[in-house]
Amino acid sequence: MNLKSLQIKIILIFSLPALALLYFSYSLVNENYIKYKNSTSYAFSAKQTKILSKLIHNLQLERGLSAGYLVSKDEIIRKNLEKQYIHTDSAYQDLIHFSNAYQYFKKQFHSITAVRRKVLTTQISFWDEMQYYNSLNKELLQAITALMHDLESKSYNGKALIELQKLKEYLGQERAYVYNQILAPKKNEKYIHYIHLLQEKEKKLQTVFYICASKNTQNIFKQLIQKETVQKTAALRTMFFQDKLSSKEDAKIWFQTASQYITQLYNVSSHILNTIVTEALQTQKDIKQVFTYTIILWILSFISFFFFLYYINALIKKEDKLLAKIRIASHTFDSHEAIVITDKNGVVLEVNKSFTRITGYKADEIIGQTTKILKSGKHTKEFYADMWHQLLTSGQWKGDIYNKRKNGEIINFIAQFYDISDLRNAQEEAQYQANHDFLTGLMNRKALLQRLHEENAKAIRHNFIHAFLFIDLDNFKQVNDTYGHHVGDELLIQVSHRLRSVLREEDILARISGDEFTIILVNIADSKEAAKEYAQKKCQAIIKALSATFVIEGNEIHIGASIGIKIFPDEKHNIEDIMNDADKAMYVAKKNGKNSCALYDEA
């Protein structure tokens, strides 16, 4: 095979896993990038909603105090209202500094100065005051609705938060109306009717909130909303409608109680928003770690790949040089000079044509014999001992020697002997690597096909019955994914040892791909039925051996094996059919629950 072609094939084979790794890591990065963008959006939305909620909360308090002052002109309420103006302005500045998206709100908010002046001088009606603050809060609530509509965190959802903000706004309006009517010298039926409508809306919103809210949200609501506050608020409502609340003290108690309830709702919203921000930030932190590990993996993968290319290129160059030497040696070997190759014991391994021409011995007559067959009797034992001593110590011998032809004629050689063990070892190593799996040392697919062809022909010729077993390891991919490929490689080595331990010496074992092994059970019975029974028993022994725990680097690993059995030879006489039939039977074993064997049904 052309070495450049081999180099390209090896690179392509090992590039496929690298490309697969690149694809899946890209998918992982892309998926996490989307999560990162979403979590960033959620965190920003939650922070923005919290600031909006704070401004609404302060506007609600300002509205309620204004409602009381307009009807009572009480100095204590006025002082509280002026303090509240400072808190509201601070919340407004927080919103403007956080995002430029609310610049359009400046114009509407700037009119609040005129409204406040009119409130403090009682030059605005209670109805107009309420309408102004209600319109401001309505616009801010619409902004919260837009932010929270698509929010979905691990434990909370935006819909419930929207309903909670609406509930809080209606409670704030109710607080203002009731506060105003308690302090008013005469109750306004229009406002009393509107208070009833607000309470009905609050009940509906509370129901919707519980439907939308997650269990976490409901639990927080129960923890932060005090029953005593809810009960006291309900009792004060009843007393209001019974005309039992009319003094400034009654108004103060109502305002404080309703404010406690509204503040608790505000705390529920703030707690949920804080949790959403915390979750989003944790998600971002986790995703950054994934990005970091992925980048490190990519870098290591590229370094490993280029190192692999370098190593493969070095091996091919080495093999190229070796083949060049072998080609040169082959030309030299077929020269006009007689050449004989022996091992260290003098057993002839190879001779060239010139040797057979000069000595009269054919290659098959001399190969396997010792060089003693050429002795002429003209040299002493010491001569030969000295010659072999020089060969074994220095690797070469030169001298004049008499040998005997096949016909008995004595001929004189000027001989040169060289130790070519390294060259022959290199040839044998190259041949071995071409026919064996580099990891387990077992036969590879190429060598298996050759042996299967030979055993099939032998079986047909001598009426032997063989069995071909196709073994696929169960759960091997999971081992690679969990513990890494180095543990997977060690597992394959241990599997090969266990398989060999349950086989006879004459049985043939091979690894043909990743986690696939094959076995040829040679000459196992006199009939096909007996062969099937033997093969199935052998499969059970294999499954039992592989089901026992493997311990690698302190990890206890459990796998199984699905085995397909094909009895041969059959009428097809085709080794590809033998392998395909066993492969089909193996998939039947997997379909039947894995860790089992199945016999190919010829019918």
Side-chain angles (χ1 to χ4, degrees), residues 533-577:
E533 183 179 350
Y534 178 88
Q536 288 174 323
K537 285 182 180 179
K538 184 63 70 175
C539 287
Q540 292 303 322
I542 291 170
I543 291 169
K544 182 179 179 182
L546 297 184
S547 296
T549 303
F550 291 85
V551 179
I552 301 174
E553 295 185 359
N555 301 302
E556 291 189 359
I557 297 172
H558 298 276
I559 60 169
S562 298
I563 309 175
I565 307 170
K566 167 68 177 181
I567 304 300
F568 72 99
D570 56 14
E571 66 281 356
K572 297 178 184 177
H573 301 329
N574 188 318
I575 60 172
E576 290 294 339
D577 288 336

Side-chain angles (χ1 to χ4, degrees), residues 385-397:
D386 180 62
M387 181 185 74
W388 280 106
H389 176 72
Q390 287 189 42
L391 271 173
L392 295 175
T393 54
S394 64
Q396 64 179 21
W397 177 85

Side-chain angles (χ1 to χ4, degrees), residues 314-358:
L315 282 178
I316 289 176
K317 284 182 177 179
K318 183 178 179 181
E319 178 120 0
D320 201 5
K321 289 179 181 178
L322 183 62
L323 288 175
K325 288 181 180 180
I326 292 173
R327 282 194 295 271
I328 293 169
S330 66
H331 289 305
T332 304
F333 192 69
D334 287 332
S335 67
H336 66 282
E337 295 177 344
I339 298 175
V340 57
I341 299 173
T342 73
D343 63 15
K344 64 180 181 180
N345 297 315
V347 176
V348 177
L349 302 175
E350 192 65 71
V351 295
N352 69 350
K353 292 178 181 178
S354 295
F355 180 89
T356 60
R357 176 176 54 79
I358 293 171

